Amino acid sequence: MTESTWMRRVLIGIALAFLGLVLIVPLGTVFGGALEKGFANAFHEVQDPITGAAILLTLKMAAVVVPLNLIFGISAAWSIAKFDFFGKKILMTLIDLPFTVSPVVSGLIFVLLFGAQGLLGPWLAAHDIQVIFAIPGIIIATLFVTFPYVARELIPIMQAQGNDQEEAAVTMGANGWQTFYHVTLPNIRWGLIYGVILLNARAMGEFGAVSVVSGHVRGLTNTIPLHVEILYNEYNLVGAFCVASILAFLAIGTLIAKVLVKKQGEL
Amino acid sequence: MKDKSVIPGFGPTLGFTIFYLSILVVLPLSMLILKTTSLTWPAFWEAVASPRVLAAYRLSFGASLAAASINLVFGLLVAWVLVRYPFPGKGFIDMLIDLPFALPTAVAGIALTTAFSSGPIGRTLESMGINVAFTPLGIIVALTFIGLPFVVRTVQPVLKDLDRDVEEAAICLGANRWQTFINVILPVLLPAAFSGFAMAFARALGEYGSVVFIAGNLPMKTEITPLLIITKLEQYDYAGATAIATVMLFSSFAVLFLINRLSWWAHTQRSSKEAL
């Protein structure tokens, strides 16, 4: 009926060896590298003021990006899942687009739009507004890279749910907000949280796109991943891995949250 | 769905969605086309087909293909083991599959570089005469990491839904386990596996963060296409960077189109199976 115990063990062994080499080794290297000079040193590294500035910038950036893309995601999912209209396929393709565009290209397009030689460059310079090589550029590039996450999670859930409950609520006199808040939201809540978790992880960890638009100014326009790169390029390996550990903890937290939410919502 | 829905909010939500997409996606991406069309044909050709750029395409394409192929084979195996066999720590391993999606690429990049240069694995391989870091092999390792979840996650649900009756029937008809796998199970898994393969390939083509650290970045040898865009930008060669980006954008569209065809194929194959 099924494979012999021996065969099973060999297959499990090969699979685990592969995953160990590709997944566990890098993760272990991050924490091992951070602790090379001991716990006390690792804590000291993380408390560096420039690292602190990078963490603060990353948190601020996520605080802008996550709510904006959350609102967009809900709005896009509502219009796409609840209604039929011409061009829906094209709209969905456009929403998926950032997933297929290289992060570097995602950064480049905003340099072309807002940079000194870009379309809006002269106007921005005349009004003394700096977007590229400054924080607004980092926020906009991250918005671009992360905006599909919530919509992508919500659209299939809302489509599977159908419109019956919302139609009933509206017929009984609920307005749009009431219908969304009391009828739709409870049904999509776990999908929503799931999408936000993924969105947040990507926003805080994005490297390529942010690298193109950031000016790489220490303590000013460096997010955590960019700070890791600088430390690494300065041959401060322990420092780089200490800061990288923060992001690795974020990643592990994201994975655990994903599993918990998936169980709750049975997605 | 009815022509006129009683559900409110169509106008505002669609309006906001289109507005947001126009500002954030359509306008910036059209800059790419606008800037490219400002080049003359010979200048465009010079930018996208110089020997150094061609070497970068070859490397990006070849390494992405190699990494996606590794992930196709091992992804099928990992999905199979995770769905079919019980073993201790399975829940943890299943959770860890998504690590490449959650771990920032720069972190993966420095970790892989250290592991495969000065780490124990790197030193062991070096004593065997295999250099991974700062060679094309290192690029393949990074791209394998980045693309690992795709095949596993596309194949897993199909394998879970697979009707065991068909396997039992094959066995009853005298097929051995291997024949059953090749002739009965694999054909059902292949569409999903190939769409996972195509997604991993597309992701690898554009990948930057995890690769730049391990690649070595030598022109003509270990310089990937996204890095070339960054290099051109740093030299203020905006037109050159844009021209290469346009080529990359259209190749990722081509892969996206392929993915859609593959998932359509997977879908029709599954629904035709259900109809039987």
Side-chain angles (χ1 to χ4, degrees):
Chain A
M1 217 15 256
T2 168
E3 292 76 38
S4 64
T5 321
W6 181 82
M7 187 65 183
R8 282 182 179 211
R9 282 192 186 147
V10 170
L11 291 177
I12 293 173
I14 298 173
L16 291 184
F18 173 71
L19 294 177
L21 188 69
V22 181
L23 297 181
I24 312 272
V25 164
L27 200 59
T29 309
V30 173
F31 294 123
L35 294 175
E36 200 164 278
K37 290 183 189 163
F39 268 106
N41 178 69
F43 276 112
H44 184 74
E45 286 284 352
V46 175
Q47 279 163 357
D48 178 77
I50 295 175
T51 305
I55 296 173
L56 199 65
L57 174 61
T58 306
L59 291 175
K60 275 189 200 162
M61 187 257 300
V64 178
V65 169
V66 172
L68 276 177
N69 277 344
L70 176 63
I71 296 169
F72 166 76
I74 294 172
S75 166
W78 184 269
S79 59
I80 286 171
K82 299 289 175 198
F83 303 95
D84 262 339
F85 55 90
F86 176 76
K88 194 157 144 173
K89 278 248 166 69
I90 299 171
L91 197 61
M92 285 173 78
T93 313
L94 279 177
I95 291 175
D96 274 349
L97 211 55
F99 281 158
T100 45
V101 175
S102 169
V104 171
V105 178
S106 309
L108 171 71
I109 54 178
F110 292 104
V111 174
L112 294 179
L113 190 57
F114 298 117
Q117 300 187 356
L119 188 68
L120 302 176
W123 186 87
L124 289 170
H127 291 77
D128 210 18
I129 307 169
Q130 197 174 9
V131 176
I132 295 304
F133 307 134
I135 295 169
I138 296 177
I139 292 177
I140 293 168
T142 310
L143 275 175
F144 176 86
V145 172
T146 60
F147 83 81
Y149 285 96
V150 174
R152 266 204 152 188
E153 285 305 320
L154 291 187
I155 291 169
I157 299 174
M158 279 163 90
Q159 274 174 339
Q161 217 92 51
N163 288 356
D164 299 351
Q165 294 183 29
E166 281 84 0
E167 278 164 9
V170 171
T171 316
M172 286 189 281
N175 67 32
W177 285 115
Q178 288 169 325
T179 309
F180 174 74
Y181 192 77
H182 295 289
V183 179
T184 312
L185 195 58
N187 285 330
I188 60 167
R189 111 192 116 177
W190 293 112
L192 198 67
I193 297 171
Y194 194 76
V196 170
I197 292 169
L198 299 183
L199 160 64
N200 180 63
R202 180 72 194 266
M204 289 188 167
E206 176 54 28
F207 177 72
V210 171
S211 172
V212 174
V213 296
S214 156
H216 299 273
V217 184
R218 275 178 156 243
L220 281 179
T221 60
N222 272 343
T223 57
I224 308 176
L226 295 176
H227 188 52
V228 169
E229 183 198 23
I230 287 199
L231 292 172
Y232 183 83
N233 286 342
E234 286 171 348
Y235 301 102
N236 180 0
L237 271 190
V238 178
F241 280 122
C242 285
V243 181
S245 298
I246 303 172
L247 293 170
F249 278 124
L250 174 74
I252 293 170
T254 301
L255 293 181
I256 294 173
K258 271 178 82 172
V259 172
L260 292 179
V261 168
K262 212 164 204 172
K263 259 193 197 131
Q264 280 292 333
E266 276 166 28
L267 292 170
Chain B
M1 224 179 282
K2 285 176 289 185
D3 280 337
K4 209 166 157 56
S5 173
V6 293
I7 299 173
F10 177 60
T13 55
L14 185 66
F16 178 69
T17 304
I18 290 175
F19 170 74
Y20 200 89
L21 274 174
S22 309
I23 296 191
L24 205 58
V25 180
V26 179
L27 177 67
L29 276 176
S30 56
M31 292 307 302
L32 215 55
I33 313 293
L34 197 71
K35 188 83 185 174
T36 308
T37 49
S38 73
L39 287 170
T40 61
W41 269 108
F44 177 77
W45 192 248
E46 170 67 31
V48 300
S50 72
R52 184 175 169 187
V53 182
L54 289 179
Y57 295 150
R58 264 197 301 274
L59 177 67
S60 281
F61 195 85
S64 302
L65 202 63
S69 308
I70 293 171
N71 278 325
L72 178 65
V73 175
F74 283 96
L76 274 167
L77 175 69
V78 169
W80 176 266
V81 164
L82 283 175
V83 172
R84 288 295 174 95
Y85 304 150
F87 59 92
K90 187 163 140 168
F92 173 73
I93 296 291
D94 190 61
M95 180 184 93
L96 214 59
I97 298 290
D98 285 329
L99 183 72
F101 287 162
L103 193 70
T105 53
V107 176
I110 64 166
L112 287 167
T113 311
T114 306
F116 284 94
S117 59
S118 55
I121 295 176
R123 272 179 284 145
T124 315
L125 288 171
E126 208 184 308
S127 66
M128 292 155 67
I130 306 167
N131 280 317
V132 178
F134 319 121
T135 70
L137 203 56
I139 301 176
I140 295 174
V141 169
L143 295 179
T144 305
F145 172 85
I146 240 38
L148 186 136
F150 289 103
V151 175
V152 181
R153 292 300 188 224
T154 48
V155 170
Q156 249 180 336
V158 184
L159 200 51
K160 262 183 197 147
D161 288 348
L162 194 67
D163 199 350
R164 295 272 185 127
D165 293 352
V166 191
E167 284 172 59
E168 281 169 28
I171 306 264
C172 291
L173 292 170
N176 67 30
R177 195 61 191 152
W178 181 245
Q179 287 171 324
T180 313
F181 181 76
I182 293 295
N183 296 318
V184 178
I185 303 172
L186 198 60
V188 184
L189 300 185
L190 273 185
F194 275 123
S195 66
F197 169 84
M199 284 186 233
F201 178 70
R203 174 73 205 264
L205 274 184
E207 179 56 21
Y208 173 71
S210 60
V211 181
V212 276
F213 297 99
I214 204 167
N217 307 332
L218 285 174
M220 304 297 293
K221 288 201 178 99
T222 53
E223 187 178 51
I224 52 163
T225 318
L227 178 72
L228 204 54
I229 294 177
I230 300 251
T231 311
K232 297 245 173 202
L233 266 180
E234 280 168 356
Q235 294 164 347
Y236 300 103
D237 180 6
Y238 287 79
T242 310
I244 299 171
T246 307
V247 171
M248 277 191 71
L249 188 70
F250 281 100
S251 39
S252 44
F253 282 162
V255 180
L256 184 71
F257 180 74
L258 187 74
I259 293 171
N260 282 337
R261 297 299 297 178
L262 282 170
S263 60
W264 176 81
W265 174 39
H267 188 77
T268 49
Q269 204 183 48
R270 278 174 92 179
S271 42
S272 68
K273 279 251 155 55
E274 274 155 26
L276 280 173

